[in-house]
Structure formats: structure tokens, C-alpha cells
Amino acid sequence: MAESPAGQALRERIRSVRRALAKKAKAGARYVLRSAVAKVAAGAVGAVVLIPGLLLRTLAAGAGGVLRLLRLAPRNGTRWGVRFTRWSVLAATAVHKRLMRKAKDGWDKATRPNVLTDFNEPGHARPAADEFGTDHFGGNLVSVFKQETEAVRDAYATYDPPMMLAVAAEYWGLPEGVGAAAEAVRQLAVNTADKYPADATMADLVAQVYALLHQAVQKAQEIGPLFAKVHENDLRRYEEPRPGEHMWNILERRADGQGFDQRQPSQFVAVAQDVAHVYSRYEPGHMNQVAAEYEGIPDGIENIAAAIHLLQVRSNDRYPVDKAVVDAIADVHQLLMAAASAAQELMPNFRRLHAPDISRHEAPRNGEESEAMWDV
């Protein structure tokens, strides 16, 4: 007879408690051992330092007596020699504090919850079989933000600008393209605060990710003007062509730029603007869908960063542009990766802040039908 989901959940809870107790027991033993080592080491260092301290104090006392006889030193002149014997105490204290700090750090690291083992985090495979199957809270859902940004990454990877004015359009379009992704994250922060039954801390965390994306947008706004400045002479050939301007072309005669405009919507904007449009209309019907969005934000931002990195690599290796432009694009990419890194904290915090709510789904008491009696 197959074990019921409630029995499986109870068995897993017991195993989790046992693992946690065993982990704390091992960490506690190591902490006690390291504490003892710290005390022994501190005492040994203090004893070693005390020997030269006593010698120096004796010499100081003798020198002070001679100087006092010669009336070259004040009456309390020998007292300064006491400081030499204090060296041992200071050295022992410093060693003890340092070793105890390492012991405490080791304890904290050993007992810190691991989101891949202590929590069944959606979207991350576990080494053992998942007792909740593939439909645990949010785990069988894909983030809308992640899906839309994957489309941006894949579409941009196939785009090959036909001429430098088209490349210029990409540079000028970076703020709007990155801004579309940032707007989706901002909308998630607003909805978390106003619509979703989520802890207020989650809205703040999403807002922090948006703030980093906004910094990337601001940095991207510098790239177009920078490109125009360092390539002023190149652009003038299109904007103010001299008679027979094509005679300066490197290869065959080309069109004079008609039909292209460096300020026209870029391909990056064309494929990225749907991110904000789709997300503004998205209405999750369940909190597991919201959880999927929190989990998908890091990958979604990395998808946008991948498109930016592709433009950076091509600008460095293929396009005839100044390296200052390449460096500016790299700065945008770095800010995006910082935002993705910050977004990694969203899902662990969501699970921590909503542990009782999530446990009703992952480990329903006496089955889903019984747990549903608490539904609002």
C-alpha cells in the first residue's frame, strides 16, 4: 500500500529535524574544540611574550633608578616599564579574539540553512528524489518574465546590423530596451506591495533589484552621446555628405545612408519592449505563479545581460568603434549582473517570510482536502 502524502511529509519532516540536529551537533563539537584551541593558543602566546616583557621591565627599572640618581628622570619614571609586561595580556587577548571569531564564523557557516537542501526551492534540482513530485509550490511553473527575456536574448543573437548607422541605433536604443525589463520588475514590486498577499519586505527587496536596473538604464543613456562624440567625423559623412562622399568608402560604393537613421528604433528595443507590455497585463491567479516570478527574475535579468554582452563583444571584435564605447557597454553589463545577483535573494526570502503559507501546499495536514478547510 502506497504511503499517503501526509505520511511522506511527516517522514520528511522527521528526517529534516534529524539532519539539522546532526549538523548542529557536529558544528557544536567543532566549536568547542576550536574554543579550547583558542584558549590554549592565547595562553601560549601570552607566556612567550611575557618573557621579553619581564626582561625589558627589569632593564627599564634599572635605567630609571640610574636616571633618578642623576636627577634626569621624575620620581615615577620607572612606572613606564610596566607597559612591557602588558604586552603579554594584549597579545593573548588578540589571539583569543581572532581564533574565537573564526570559531564563531565556522559555527554560523555550518548551521546556516541551505536553500537547496533545507528548503525545497522551486526550480532547483535536489540530489534526492523530491517527495512532492514536480508540482510542489511554484516548481512546475515558468516565469513570464523569464520567458519574455529569453525571447529577447534569442532574437537579438540572430540580428546582424547591415551598416554602422544600424549599429548606432542599437547604442541609442539601449536605455529603452533595458528600461523595458526594468519596468517589468518595477511592476512586480508595485503588485507585491498593493495586490499580492506577500510580506512587505518582499516589495522592498524587489524594489532594490529595480533600483540596480535603473542604474543600468542611466548608464546606458551615456552610450549614445558618447558614440556620437567619439565618432563625430564618421557620422558627419552621413549627416553632411560632401559631393562624391562615396569616394572615401573603403570598398564598393554604398548607399548614402538613406533609409537608415541612428535614432530609429533599434532591434534591441523592438524585441525588448514586449517584456514590459506583456508583464503589465499579466495577472497571476495564485501565489505559486507569483513565486515563479520571484524565482525567474535572476535568469530574466541575465537574459537581458546576455544580449548586452553580445553587443559588447561585437563592438569590440567586429564593429569599427572606439574602445570607450565598448567599455561603457561593459559597465551596463556589470550593473545588470549586479541586479541579477541581488535578485537571487528573492526566492529564499519569499520562502522564509511565507514558510507557514507554503507549508500548507507542500505538506498539507491530513491531505489537501483537509488542509483546504482553512481556505479563505
Side-chain angles (χ1 to χ4, degrees):
M1 182 176 179
E3 187 176 7
S4 66
Q8 292 178 351
L10 178 61
R11 184 158 47 85
E12 171 59 20
R13 285 176 180 270
I14 294 174
R15 284 200 299 264
S16 298
V17 171
R18 287 177 177 174
R19 286 196 298 265
L21 290 175
K23 184 166 65 173
K24 286 188 176 181
K26 292 180 181 179
R30 286 194 294 267
Y31 179 78
V32 172
L33 179 60
R34 288 173 177 172
S35 299
V37 171
K39 291 176 173 58
V40 172
V45 171
V48 171
V49 176
L50 180 61
I51 296 173
L54 290 173
L55 293 175
L56 290 173
R57 180 176 179 178
T58 302
L59 292 175
V66 173
L67 292 175
R68 197 163 52 251
L69 289 174
L70 297 175
R71 298 184 179 181
L72 297 176
R75 293 181 179 180
N76 62 349
T78 58
R79 294 183 182 178
W80 65 275
V82 177
R83 70 183 64 182
F84 294 122
T85 55
R86 293 176 182 168
W87 287 355
S88 61
V89 177
L90 296 175
T93 302
V95 171
H96 186 262
K97 285 184 177 180
R98 181 179 180 86
L99 293 179
M100 287 302 296
R101 189 183 306 114
K102 288 186 177 181
K104 183 64 167 58
D105 291 342
W107 164 265
D108 292 339
K109 183 176 181 181
T111 57
R112 185 180 300 122
N114 186 337
V115 296
L116 297 181
T117 55
D118 296 348
F119 302 101
N120 187 22
E121 187 179 358
H124 293 273
R126 297 178 60 175
D130 191 343
E131 348 12 294
F132 301 112
T134 58
D135 60 346
H136 59 278
F137 194 75
N140 62 331
L141 301 173
V142 179
S143 162
V144 172
F145 181 74
K146 181 179 178 180
Q147 286 180 320
E148 292 298 318
T149 55
E150 282 178 349
V152 174
R153 180 198 64 199
D154 296 342
Y156 200 65
T158 61
Y159 177 60
D160 188 13
M163 61 188 306
M164 279 307 297
L165 285 187
V167 175
E170 297 305 310
Y171 297 148
W172 285 102
L174 283 176
E176 185 177 352
V178 177
E183 175 59 25
V185 176
R186 189 194 69 83
Q187 189 65 50
L188 178 61
V190 171
N191 291 343
T192 299
D194 298 342
K195 291 184 178 181
Y196 305 150
D199 192 282
T201 303
M202 287 304 302
D204 294 336
L205 293 172
V206 179
Q208 291 173 16
V209 176
Y210 167 73
L212 291 171
L213 291 174
H214 184 63
Q215 291 181 25
V217 173
Q218 291 179 315
K219 189 64 181 179
Q221 291 173 345
E222 301 174 5
I223 295 177
L226 175 63
F227 173 79
K229 178 180 179 181
V230 297
H231 293 281
E232 179 181 3
N233 292 332
D234 297 309
L235 293 171
R236 187 179 296 119
R237 297 185 61 219
Y238 291 95
E239 298 168 352
E240 301 174 5
R242 296 162 291 188
E245 187 65 59
H246 64 277
M247 296 175 65
W248 280 109
N249 287 356
I250 299 296
L251 297 177
E252 75 280 359
R253 179 172 179 173
R254 298 192 57 176
D256 60 1
Q258 292 181 358
F260 288 94
D261 184 352
Q262 61 174 329
R263 299 300 184 93
Q264 69 183 18
S266 70
Q267 178 69 10
F268 181 60
V269 172
V271 297
Q273 60 187 359
D274 284 344
V275 177
H277 293 165
V278 171
Y279 213 72
S280 65
R281 299 191 299 269
Y282 178 53
E283 294 288 345
H286 195 276
M287 281 305 291
N288 60 357
Q289 295 172 311
V290 177
E293 293 307 312
Y294 293 142
E295 186 185 27
I297 292 297
D299 290 340
I301 296 175
E302 288 183 359
N303 288 333
I304 298 297
I308 301 297
H309 183 64
L310 178 62
L311 179 60
Q312 174 193 341
V313 171
R314 289 178 174 177
S315 298
N316 186 66
D317 299 343
R318 292 174 50 185
Y319 303 152
V321 296
D322 192 278
K323 295 304 179 185
V325 177
V326 179
D327 293 340
I329 300 174
D331 290 340
V332 175
H333 178 264
Q334 185 176 3
L335 288 170
L336 288 172
M337 295 306 295
S341 178
Q344 293 286 352
E345 300 298 321
L346 293 178
M347 194 60 198
N349 277 285
F350 176 75
R351 294 190 63 86
R352 177 179 61 82
L353 293 168
H354 304 88
D357 298 309
I358 295 174
S359 66
R360 296 182 60 242
H361 294 265
E362 295 182 337
R365 293 162 289 189
N366 290 326
E368 293 182 354
E369 292 295 329
S370 297
E371 190 64 69
M373 295 177 67
W374 280 109
D375 284 354
V376 176

